Amino acid sequence: MAPLLGGRSEVLITPMVELFKYLELEMKKDKVSAREHEYERYFAFISQCMASPYADPDKREEFRQSLMPREVDDRPKVEQKWNFEMLERLKSKQKGGGKPHGNS
Protein backbone atom coordinates (compact mmCIF):
# COMPACT_ATOMS: atom_id res chain seq x y z
CA MET A 1 0.00 0.00 0.00
CA ALA A 2 2.89 2.36 0.63
CA PRO A 3 3.66 2.94 -3.08
CA LEU A 4 0.05 4.04 -3.60
CA LEU A 5 -0.29 6.24 -0.54
CA GLY A 6 3.20 7.67 -0.20
CA GLY A 7 4.81 5.87 2.71
CA ARG A 8 4.37 3.89 5.91
CA SER A 9 3.06 6.79 7.95
CA GLU A 10 0.37 7.54 5.35
CA VAL A 11 -0.72 3.90 5.41
CA LEU A 12 -0.99 3.98 9.20
CA ILE A 13 -3.12 7.13 9.32
CA THR A 14 -5.39 6.26 6.37
CA PRO A 15 -8.90 5.12 7.36
CA MET A 16 -9.44 1.38 6.98
CA VAL A 17 -12.37 1.84 4.57
CA GLU A 18 -10.09 3.76 2.20
CA LEU A 19 -7.41 1.08 2.41
CA PHE A 20 -9.94 -1.58 1.45
CA LYS A 21 -11.02 0.53 -1.52
CA TYR A 22 -7.40 0.80 -2.69
CA LEU A 23 -7.06 -2.98 -2.40
CA GLU A 24 -10.26 -3.47 -4.37
CA LEU A 25 -8.96 -1.18 -7.13
CA GLU A 26 -5.68 -3.08 -7.26
CA MET A 27 -7.52 -6.38 -7.59
CA LYS A 28 -9.61 -4.99 -10.45
CA LYS A 29 -6.43 -3.79 -12.21
CA ASP A 30 -4.95 -7.29 -11.84
CA LYS A 31 -8.08 -8.87 -13.36
CA VAL A 32 -7.97 -6.49 -16.32
CA SER A 33 -4.27 -7.16 -16.82
CA ALA A 34 -4.85 -10.93 -16.75
CA ARG A 35 -7.66 -10.63 -19.29
CA GLU A 36 -5.46 -8.53 -21.60
CA HIS A 37 -2.71 -11.13 -21.32
CA GLU A 38 -5.18 -13.89 -22.31
CA TYR A 39 -6.24 -11.98 -25.42
CA GLU A 40 -2.63 -11.24 -26.40
CA ARG A 41 -1.72 -14.91 -26.05
CA TYR A 42 -4.74 -15.96 -28.11
CA PHE A 43 -3.94 -13.43 -30.84
CA ALA A 44 -0.29 -14.58 -30.99
CA PHE A 45 -1.42 -18.20 -31.34
CA ILE A 46 -3.90 -17.42 -34.11
CA SER A 47 -1.23 -15.45 -35.96
CA GLN A 48 1.20 -18.39 -35.78
CA CYS A 49 -1.45 -20.89 -36.89
CA MET A 50 -2.36 -18.84 -39.89
CA ALA A 51 1.30 -18.60 -40.82
CA SER A 52 1.80 -22.40 -40.74
CA PRO A 53 -0.85 -24.37 -42.66
CA TYR A 54 0.95 -27.75 -42.22
CA ALA A 55 -0.38 -28.57 -38.72
CA ASP A 56 -3.13 -31.17 -38.22
CA PRO A 57 -6.38 -29.17 -38.54
CA ASP A 58 -8.27 -31.14 -35.85
CA LYS A 59 -5.55 -30.82 -33.23
CA ARG A 60 -4.99 -27.18 -34.14
CA GLU A 61 -8.73 -26.45 -33.67
CA GLU A 62 -8.80 -28.30 -30.33
CA PHE A 63 -5.78 -26.34 -29.09
CA ARG A 64 -7.28 -23.08 -30.38
CA GLN A 65 -10.49 -23.74 -28.42
CA SER A 66 -8.49 -24.43 -25.26
CA LEU A 67 -6.67 -21.11 -25.61
CA MET A 68 -9.74 -19.03 -26.38
CA PRO A 69 -10.20 -16.40 -23.65
CA ARG A 70 -13.09 -17.03 -21.33
CA GLU A 71 -15.53 -14.28 -20.57
CA VAL A 72 -15.15 -13.29 -16.95
CA ASP A 73 -18.28 -12.22 -15.13
CA ASP A 74 -17.26 -9.37 -12.81
CA ARG A 75 -20.44 -9.58 -10.76
CA PRO A 76 -20.18 -11.43 -7.46
CA LYS A 77 -21.52 -14.96 -7.60
CA VAL A 78 -23.05 -14.76 -4.12
CA GLU A 79 -25.05 -11.93 -2.70
CA GLN A 80 -22.95 -9.98 -0.23
CA LYS A 81 -24.42 -8.89 3.05
CA TRP A 82 -23.17 -5.74 4.68
CA ASN A 83 -23.09 -5.02 8.38
CA PHE A 84 -23.85 -1.31 8.32
CA GLU A 85 -23.94 -1.07 12.11
CA MET A 86 -20.36 -2.32 12.35
CA LEU A 87 -19.32 0.05 9.55
CA GLU A 88 -20.80 3.00 11.42
CA ARG A 89 -18.99 1.93 14.62
CA LEU A 90 -15.70 1.69 12.72
CA LYS A 91 -16.23 5.14 11.21
CA SER A 92 -17.03 6.67 14.59
CA LYS A 93 -13.95 4.99 16.16
CA GLN A 94 -11.74 6.41 13.44
CA LYS A 95 -13.13 9.86 14.15
CA GLY A 96 -12.47 9.35 17.86
CA GLY A 97 -16.08 9.08 18.98
CA GLY A 98 -16.38 5.32 19.36
CA LYS A 99 -17.97 3.65 22.37
CA PRO A 100 -15.61 1.43 24.37
CA HIS A 101 -16.33 -2.30 24.28
CA GLY A 102 -15.91 -4.79 27.07
CA ASN A 103 -16.97 -5.21 30.67
CA SER A 104 -15.61 -1.91 32.01
Side-chain angles (χ1 to χ4, degrees):
M1 296 300 317
L4 293 173
L5 299 174
R8 183 170 187 245
S9 61
E10 284 82 3
V11 171
L12 293 174
I13 62 172
T14 303
M16 195 59 128
V17 175
E18 249 182 83
L19 292 174
F20 285 136
K21 193 62 177 175
Y22 279 115
L23 285 174
E24 181 183 4
L25 291 173
E26 283 298 309
M27 288 172 35
K28 282 183 181 181
K29 277 193 228 176
D30 290 344
K31 281 184 183 178
V32 168
S33 175
R35 189 178 303 157
E36 286 175 359
H37 181 69
E38 269 188 3
Y39 282 107
E40 288 173 6
R41 185 178 68 166
Y42 180 70
F43 182 72
F45 171 74
I46 292 297
S47 299
Q48 290 175 358
C49 280
M50 296 303 164
S52 175
Y54 301 112
D56 179 23
D58 294 333
K59 289 188 179 189
R60 182 172 47 195
E61 181 61 24
E62 179 184 333
F63 188 59
R64 185 183 73 80
Q65 290 295 331
S66 74
L67 285 179
M68 189 174 295
R70 298 172 305 281
E71 287 299 318
V72 178
D73 191 7
D74 289 336
R75 294 175 301 189
K77 292 187 183 354
V78 293
E79 184 178 328
Q80 297 195 7
K81 296 178 181 158
W82 298 93
N83 188 343
F84 290 106
E85 182 183 325
M86 171 134 356
L87 183 61
E88 290 301 320
R89 280 190 278 154
L90 285 171
K91 284 182 181 179
S92 66
K93 269 187 177 181
Q94 287 179 347
K95 292 180 182 176
K99 296 179 183 176
H101 295 311
N103 298 334
S104 314

